[in-house]
Amino acid sequence: MSSRSNLTGSSLLRGLLILATALGTIPLIMLLSVPSDTLAQGLFGVTTILLVAALKPFTWRSMPLRFLMLATAGAVVLRYWMWRFFETLPSAEDPVSLAAAWMLFAVETYAIVLFFLNAFLLADPLKRGMPEMVPVDRLPTVDILVPSYNEPIDLLSVTLAAARNIHYPAHLLNVVLCDDGGTDQKCTSSDPAEAEAAQARRKALQALCEHLGATYLTRERNVSAKAGNLNSALGQTRGEFVAVFDADHIPSSDFLARTVGFLVRDPKLFLVQTPHFFINKDPIQRNLDLPDACPAENEMFYALIQKGLDRWDGAFFCGSAALLRRAALDAVGGFSGQTITEDAETALDIHARGWHSLYIGRALIAGLQPETFSSFIQQRGRWAAGMMQILRLKNPIFRPGLTLAQRLCYYNSMSYWFFPVVRLIFLLSPLLYLFFGLQIFVASFEEALVYTLTYLVVSFLVQNALFSSVRWPLISEVYEIAQTPYLIRATLGALLRPRGFRFQVTAKDETVADSFLSPIYRPLLVLFLLMAAGVAAAGLRWVLLPDDRQVVMIVGGWALFNFLITGFSLRAVVEKRQRRVAPRVDLSVPARLEAGEDETALAVEVVDASTYGARLRLADAAHRRLRLKPGQTITFQPEIPDVPRASRRIACEIRSLQPEGRDLFLGLRFLPDQDASVREAVACLVFSDSGLWEKTRRSALAGRGLLAGMAYVFWRAATTIPRTSLDMVRLSWTVPPEEADAEAKGPAPHILAFGQDPDEPLPAREPEDKVRKPPMNGHGKTPVPTTPQAGLAAAPARENAGGTLQLSSR
């Protein structure tokens, strides 16, 4: 049975609503285009604002009421656009003002088109649960590909260890490290230092893979970046399905349990994409000191927009945390590499061949975001340029094989990255009047008030109704303005010269030991100073030109808004010191602690942990029996519920003792150079339970009302701007030259998915029409196992030769 068979009922209702909306579009447009006096428009505005405000609380409770709210808002938006087009553009007698007015009108039109596209996508987003059960004896072979370039070995060891402990039959799972940092090209480089580093990396990673029961692969030359690396691995592996994890995306133990069943049941399904969840804050979130309750910047996409894309069979590959069908990849020649965003490009190519995709909204990986503002901008610049490349080279609007809905889905995702151009024009437009007196639109004060204010209020109400749980009011504006002066070059450059960009890897091992001013602060500072000059110019016009005060009141208010939002965004360039080397994850895991000469085992609780250390809670009766002190070596063995076979004794050094009430909390640092099985224990302790990620995500999706959210941003902006100015002066002398709720109780996901524990040994099946090929070697002389070990729990203990899995102190 197809994975889309359960969508019929809601799809029919959605279709009827859309048909009714379409039939009413033409008479609605004719009605909205009829001119009216200011009083009538004012009454229309007040009525629609009250109606949208009344419907707002029911946005996600009733689909018909959601459609009614969107239809009402759509009428207001169309009415405003027609007023702007027919009545507010200056005459051709002032060509300079006319050009400026058309520039502003063009970006307003773009924003209105996006409004309707988002309404189309979010009218009925799709939510999926567990796939249907697939018996263990019918499960396919899976290759897990982990592409790597220059990531630290410690980081890779965590990802590989977690991948090796995914619940799945061991003889059907092959974890592959695709190393692009140890290629033959790099190992034989003419630069001796580069060659020596590449050879050392290859050797260390080969040892790491051998210890973890993974496969090491590399290739001859570094061509086509990540897409070329993955395609090289595809040519040396044979799994029916392919899972892809970035080097810093650590999978939970139930990843395949929650994804593989969809692909097994629907032979035309090529992709199951899951969210990218991050355990650390992004640099803007950290530097602006946004609260933990404020949803992460990527949640709007992964918690809502991807579900909307999924409704229209438009969910696309995001480069990691996904399971793909090899047959679909083979049909298009592997991962696409014509652009620097191989993920969306690959999905577009496969969708155009008639294959389908699917998105599930549960986070099944935990990753790391860029730590510095400059790395964040580099990453987003790559995404922006890549999407512009796809738009130019493989325009989805004209791409054969796509449905109309898919064309709109892809166009919406790509056109979003025009935001640097749009934001810059919205920021500079009021300055054209305040500095040069240009007429950017022609209207009386009363007309501007009743049309523009109605449009803005309704737009903010609808935006907050749709996105309140995933994006606080005005936070999108803050993020986009912080990126605008940097991404505009990438956006326009890729649009005009789509073949002139190269893939750049985002740094994965940065830390911010001390606060400093980002080396790329100048463009954003210049933008802020322009906004400040605009506010000053508005003040001068108010004093010197009394007859213009009504216009100055509107345009000056716009300039003040831009000043406050840009000033708040400017805080992003003041890098805030990190107090932890690795992010801690809150846990509640029972463990046994051994300390003292008699090594008495005591029951304790692991309350949080990272790949560097942990914190244990000892109850009153327990810690009073021990004599603990900083610097003492102890061991503890966690009881990992999701992967019990990975439970191992972990040696630690006590770094701190903190009494709280009758309890004692131990701060621990993991000792370096422990057995490789400890690497698995730490990885599984911290990352095996996807329920932790869902709990964390949901805790930040409570939402915030429109007025409260706007008040928060304005207050933070007003109080942050003076502090940012002082910090920029103070830190300008120290700029471094370079920047280095849980599900209901029941069977475990892998039991629900496969009917039994897939970790139990079963005879390898040998279909009559498909005999497994013998092992093959990749570059680096490491065998490709056809039946890799189930993990280090079943492998002989070995010395740790592949780094310390971040178990060393830094």
Side-chain angles (χ1 to χ4, degrees), residues 416-432:
Y416 164 79
W417 291 99
F418 282 114
F419 80 78
V421 179
V422 174
R423 286 289 170 201
L424 190 61
I425 292 176
F426 278 137
L427 291 171
L428 297 182
S429 290
L431 304 185
L432 297 178

Side-chain angles (χ1 to χ4, degrees), residues 698-721:
R698 291 178 184 180
S699 68
L701 297 181
R704 176 160 289 198
L706 179 60
L707 295 179
M710 296 180 76
Y712 169 80
V713 171
F714 289 142
W715 170 253
R716 287 295 312 279
T719 56
T720 298
I721 290 173

Side-chain angles (χ1 to χ4, degrees), residues 429-495:
S429 290
L431 304 185
L432 297 178
Y433 167 76
L434 296 172
F435 288 173
F436 309 111
L438 299 183
Q439 299 297 315
I440 51 180
F441 66 83
V442 179
S444 68
F445 177 79
E446 293 78 10
E447 288 176 332
L449 192 65
V450 296
Y451 280 95
T452 304
L453 189 60
T454 299
Y455 166 70
L456 290 176
V457 171
V458 167
S459 296
F460 278 123
L461 283 171
V462 172
Q463 184 180 22
N464 187 241
L466 294 175
F467 299 112
S468 63
S469 63
V470 295
R471 183 63 55 84
W472 285 6
L474 299 181
I475 294 298
S476 285
E477 284 78 359
V478 172
Y479 267 86
E480 290 180 5
I481 289 174
Q483 300 173 71
T484 287
Y486 307 96
L487 267 56
I488 192 165
R489 179 179 178 183
T491 299
L492 294 179
L495 194 65

Side-chain angles (χ1 to χ4, degrees), residues 208-367:
L208 174 66
C209 289
E210 182 179 357
H211 287 314
L212 294 177
T215 300
Y216 175 88
L217 292 178
T218 188
R219 52 181 176 151
E220 293 183 3
R221 299 184 60 80
N222 299 81
V223 291
S224 297
K226 181 179 176 180
N229 190 11
L230 291 172
N231 287 333
S232 175
L234 285 179
Q236 302 178 71
T237 55
R238 298 176 302 280
E240 297 169 66
F241 297 163
V242 176
V244 179
F245 300 117
D246 281 347
D248 58 340
H249 283 188
I250 303 163
S252 61
S253 61
D254 56 344
F255 180 86
L256 292 178
R258 295 182 180 275
T259 57
V260 75
F262 291 112
L263 286 168
V264 171
R265 292 295 183 180
D266 187 351
K268 287 299 292 180
L269 189 69
F270 83 91
L271 168 70
V272 178
Q273 179 65 55
T274 71
H276 292 185
F277 169 77
F278 301 103
I279 59 176
N280 63 324
K281 292 184 176 183
D282 67 63
I284 295 180
Q285 189 178 15
R286 185 185 70 245
N287 295 341
L288 269 61
D289 199 23
L290 297 178
D292 293 338
C294 182
E297 184 253 358
N298 65 319
E299 282 294 353
M300 186 166 74
F301 177 73
Y302 285 111
L304 192 55
I305 292 177
Q306 270 280 45
K307 293 179 181 178
L309 296 173
D310 189 23
R311 168 61 73 185
W312 302 103
D313 195 20
F316 59 86
F317 179 39
C318 298
S320 179
L323 186 66
L324 302 99
R325 188 183 300 273
R326 181 184 290 268
L329 289 169
D330 291 342
V332 296
F335 293 92
S336 305
Q338 192 172 352
T339 71
I340 58 175
T341 48
E342 83 295 329
D343 43 17
E345 182 188 356
T346 300
L348 176 63
D349 290 343
I350 299 178
H351 268 135
R353 294 291 189 98
W355 295 84
H356 306 296
S357 64
L358 179 150
Y359 175 76
I360 59 175
R362 184 184 179 94
L364 299 175
I365 63 96

Side-chain angles (χ1 to χ4, degrees), residues 124-200:
D124 188 22
L126 192 58
K127 183 178 181 180
R128 300 181 186 268
M130 285 285 294
E132 295 181 37
M133 182 184 294
V134 180
V136 172
D137 60 358
R138 292 184 55 194
L139 289 175
T141 53
V142 177
D143 291 320
I144 295 181
L145 306 184
V146 181
S148 171
Y149 182 70
N150 59 359
E151 297 81 11
I153 295 176
D154 292 346
L155 177 62
L156 289 170
S157 64
V158 181
T159 305
L160 294 174
R164 289 293 300 120
N165 282 282
I166 288 177
H167 289 298
Y168 207 72
H171 66 286
L172 301 177
L173 188 65
N174 183 24
V175 177
V176 182
L177 175 62
C178 313
D179 179 29
D180 241 12
T183 58
D184 294 348
Q185 177 184 356
K186 286 185 170 291
C187 288
T188 59
S189 171
S190 58
D191 182 346
E194 180 181 0
E196 183 179 356
Q199 293 167 11

